[in-house]
Every structure is written in structure tokens, then in C-alpha cells.
Amino acid sequence: MFDTTRAFASFAVPDAARARAFYADTLGLDVRPVEGMEEEGLLSIDLGEGRSILVYPKPDHAPAVFTVLNLVVDDAEAAVDELARRGVQTLRYDEFDQDAKGIARGTPTVAWFADPFGNVCSVIQEA
């Protein structure tokens, strides 16, 4: 019924230019305008192997109340340290036992942070 080889995820931001700066410059991801949709502000975060996430501007954006992007890392602590160096702070949740750096250690080991618009992202170290 579905062509899952062409499925993709998306999330909204209120400001495409600021989103591009955060995801490309701060996080170091491959972010490009969607060809033919530059004026509309659509962005694509390239995840490699033909996978991407669509980021679209929404003037009345409200941040998601869940994690919109999980970035798998080999070393969560090193990733959190690098995020902190780049000015990104981890989020705290009462439901999780997080260490001083905001890392919930376990299976998986994870730390959450927000983009400039309040959308929640994470670095996640799989077991």
C-alpha cells in the first residue's frame, strides 16, 4: 500500500533561515533548501543513504511536545560536551535520572536539547 522507500519525516519551525543556521552551523548537519521550493523556505536535512527530513516554516509554530529528531552517536558524553561547547544546553526531565551533564545513562543512553524554537532533539547512544 505504501512506498516506504520514499517515506520521510518532517517538522515545523517559525524561521527557516534561523533553522538552517542552527541545524547546519551549530549541529553540523547537511542542510539544503528544497530544490524548487527555495522561496517557500523548505529545507532538507540530509541523513545520508537517500534519507532526509523536511523542515518547513510555519508562522504560528508551536514546538512539539516530543522528540522530533534523534541523532545517533557513538559517545553520548562526548556529543553533549561538544554541544555545550557550541552553546547548546541539555534539557532536564523529572521522569529520567540524568547526570550533571543531562545524560540519562542506560539502554539507550540519551540526552535531550532544544532547537532555537523549542523543538526537542536528542543525542542517543545505542547499546
Side-chain angles (χ1 to χ4, degrees), residues 80 89-104 110-114 120-121:
V80 166
Q89 297 179 347
T90 56
L91 300 173
R92 303 289 178 157
Y93 295 104
D94 292 336
E95 310 86 61
F96 294 96
D97 183 22
Q98 293 169 272
D99 67 15
K101 293 183 178 185
I103 302 170
V110 62
W112 298 270
F113 61 95
V120 177
C121 303

Side-chain angles (χ1 to χ4, degrees), residues 8-25 29-47 51-58 69 115-117 119:
F8 63 93
S10 64
F11 61 89
V13 297
D15 183 329
R18 282 184 56 212
R20 186 168 200 255
F22 178 76
Y23 286 98
D25 300 339
L29 300 175
D30 183 3
V31 181
R32 300 175 186 172
V34 172
E35 189 175 324
M37 304 293 282
E38 295 86 355
E39 289 196 24
E40 289 81 2
L42 276 75
L43 301 171
S44 178
I45 300 175
D46 185 352
L47 302 175
R51 297 174 298 124
S52 64
I53 297 172
L54 177 68
V55 179
Y56 59 94
K58 187 172 186 282
L69 178 60
D115 72 7
F117 318 107
N119 291 317

Side-chain angles (χ1 to χ4, degrees), residues 66-81:
F66 50 84
T67 306
V68 299
L69 178 60
N70 294 288
L71 300 166
V72 178
V73 296
D74 292 328
D75 184 338
E77 185 162 355
V80 166
D81 289 346

